[in-house]
Amino acid sequence: MRALAALAGILRKVCGTFIGATGFAIVLIIIAMAVFAPIVATHDPDQLDVLNRFAPPSAAHWLGTDHLGRDLYSRLVHGSTIAMFVALTSIILALSFGTILGILAAFLSTRAESVILILFDVISSFPSLVLALAIVSVFGPSMSIVIIIVAITLTPHFGRVARAQVLTLKNAPFLEAERILGASGSRIIVMHILPNIMGTLLVLASMDIPVVITIEAGLSFLGLGVRPPLASWGTLVQDGYQFLTDSWIPVVVASLALAFATLGFTLFGEALRDAVDPRIRPRH
């Protein structure tokens, strides 16, 4: 109950500003589309109707059809499911592994800490696209590969933040009191360290969602991510680009969806950061 009350208080602060309320509304729309895609969509996203290809928007096809006669609105809605699934899954993996490695780096010996930090530097030195090309060349393109690539790329991001947060708390007086009372290291980490650093990490994760959506769309556009006939926003842009002279609607629709999602999650993440971090609010 206390956690729910705290969450409700944070959401009230987020929605108390125009930016936060706008971002929260956009996020809710995208999540609702992703969760209820089979209900919200008006057609089967993979149903072909070649005789009706490049149809303009109408009552039957709200956003028109693509080069194979598939309903663009339905593919756009199902694309939100792919985008949110990839974003949430990869961020959860990166957050979990990054937090674990960051806490270990803060508590283990100097040599072990150096090894973990070198691992972070090695991963960060590879651009996402180069890493994607290397992994795809071995395993082939798929949604699972996209999730793995994004998770590996973001793990140092969360790991460094977790390590920095733990180092600031490591010698705090209340933790020293816990050690004097005989609390084990695992209890201190689970009961005191994690609750105090998860707020910052979750805000960071919310601000990384649009980054992941963009990465997934970019990899799918290049043919390195989600494979057809799955309706990814990146594949929608790719299909539309190939037939741009026939119809500009597919490219514009998919691009606007990406821009809409990026704007919403960015605004929500910034408002959430301002609501959670008391050091930021006074400056506004």
Side-chain angles (χ1 to χ4, degrees), residues 68-174:
L68 295 176
R70 296 172 296 189
D71 184 68
L72 277 177
Y73 169 74
S74 299
R75 291 185 64 78
L76 188 74
V77 170
H78 283 270
S80 65
T81 303
I82 299 293
M84 291 307 302
F85 176 77
V86 172
L88 294 179
T89 304
S90 57
I91 284 180
I92 288 172
L93 290 175
L95 176 63
S96 302
F97 287 113
T99 302
I100 292 172
L101 291 175
I103 292 175
L104 290 176
F107 277 100
L108 295 180
S109 63
T110 304
R111 179 173 297 181
E113 181 184 16
S114 299
V115 171
I116 294 175
L117 293 179
I118 289 173
L119 177 63
F120 288 165
D121 291 336
V122 170
I123 295 175
S124 300
S125 65
F126 285 94
S128 300
L129 183 58
V130 175
L131 184 62
L133 289 171
I135 296 178
V136 168
S137 64
V138 177
F139 299 101
S142 67
M143 187 191 305
S144 301
I145 295 300
V146 174
I147 293 173
I148 292 172
I149 292 170
V150 175
I152 292 174
T153 303
L154 292 181
T155 293
H157 187 47
F158 291 104
R160 290 193 181 98
V161 174
R163 172 179 170 272
Q165 292 289 314
V166 173
L167 289 176
T168 60
L169 293 171
K170 188 176 179 180
N171 297 317
F174 73 94

Side-chain angles (χ1 to χ4, degrees), residues 88-268:
L88 294 179
T89 304
S90 57
I91 284 180
I92 288 172
L93 290 175
L95 176 63
S96 302
F97 287 113
T99 302
I100 292 172
L101 291 175
I103 292 175
L104 290 176
F107 277 100
L108 295 180
S109 63
T110 304
R111 179 173 297 181
E113 181 184 16
S114 299
V115 171
I116 294 175
L117 293 179
I118 289 173
L119 177 63
F120 288 165
D121 291 336
V122 170
I123 295 175
S124 300
S125 65
F126 285 94
S128 300
L129 183 58
V130 175
L131 184 62
L133 289 171
I135 296 178
V136 168
S137 64
V138 177
F139 299 101
S142 67
M143 187 191 305
S144 301
I145 295 300
V146 174
I147 293 173
I148 292 172
I149 292 170
V150 175
I152 292 174
T153 303
L154 292 181
T155 293
H157 187 47
F158 291 104
R160 290 193 181 98
V161 174
R163 172 179 170 272
Q165 292 289 314
V166 173
L167 289 176
T168 60
L169 293 171
K170 188 176 179 180
N171 297 317
F174 73 94
L175 293 184
E176 292 292 339
E178 286 287 328
R179 294 188 187 97
I180 293 174
L181 293 174
S184 63
S186 59
R187 175 180 172 80
I188 290 175
I189 291 174
V190 174
M191 300 300 295
H192 299 285
I193 296 292
L194 281 177
N196 279 281
I197 69 174
M198 284 309 295
T200 301
L201 292 174
L202 289 176
V203 171
L204 188 63
S206 69
M207 299 188 71
D208 280 338
I209 289 178
V211 177
V212 178
I213 292 175
T214 306
I215 292 174
E216 181 274 321
L219 293 176
S220 298
F221 176 82
L222 295 174
L224 304 177
V226 176
R227 303 297 294 166
L230 291 178
S232 165
W233 288 344
T235 57
L236 288 180
V237 175
Q238 182 192 49
D239 292 341
Y241 179 75
Q242 292 177 352
F243 299 92
L244 191 59
T245 56
D246 297 296
S247 176
W248 51 266
I249 295 178
V251 172
V252 171
V253 166
S255 300
L256 287 177
L258 283 169
F260 191 66
T262 301
L263 175 65
F265 279 102
T266 301
L267 294 179
F268 177 73

